[in-house]
Amino acid sequence: LTGQRKVYFLKNPGLDCLNDDLPLTHYRFRKENINLLSIPHNEAVMKAYIFLIYRFPAGQWVSEWILRIGKKKHVRLPDGLFILEDGTKLAIEVERTHKSLPELREVVGRFSANFQTGSCQGVLIIAQDSYIFRSLMQRIFHLIPSISGEYFFVTTFVLLAQDKVFHRDKELSLNA
């Protein structure tokens, strides 16, 4: 495993086989959280993780289960947090389904306190496909412009592979 990154989900018997010095003391695997919708979503989140860590090897990924430590069960958290080499923290949201306007307002509003406290400096939304991407581009930046217009970035996996993200109506390159 040295020098290679791997992603695993472990059940309790698997955790019992691990070395005690690994930082997995808060790992939780709950079968009740797995359903037909969560498996493809988790796969997409892992795809985002793999892409970001490959593209920015000096960055650090913080998974949702680490973010959840000390939080109440009902608290909505991002799918992950990616910390760039310069310390910039981006909340990562993977969207696999079309969101209604109230759902999008909830997503935008959920992050407003995070920007004020500095727990993240931006949100990268990765749309699963071009339909969801177009829907997000048409609506999200106009919901609460002082928040979504300032801190939100939207892309797809295909656009990420081309190093492209969108902020408001502008295409940005990850190479910059």
Side-chain angles (χ1 to χ4, degrees), residues 18-33:
L18 292 176
N19 194 343
D20 289 337
D21 62 350
L22 291 174
L24 294 173
T25 56
H26 299 286
Y27 185 91
R28 300 288 183 265
F29 181 88
R30 295 184 180 98
K31 284 191 264 186
E32 66 270 14
N33 292 342

Side-chain angles (χ1 to χ4, degrees), residues 36-59:
L36 290 177
L37 293 176
S38 68
I39 292 172
H41 179 77
N42 290 342
E43 181 182 17
V45 171
M46 285 188 275
K47 186 176 178 180
Y49 157 77
I50 291 167
F51 178 85
L52 291 169
I53 221 66
Y54 174 78
R55 178 64 180 79
F56 302 100

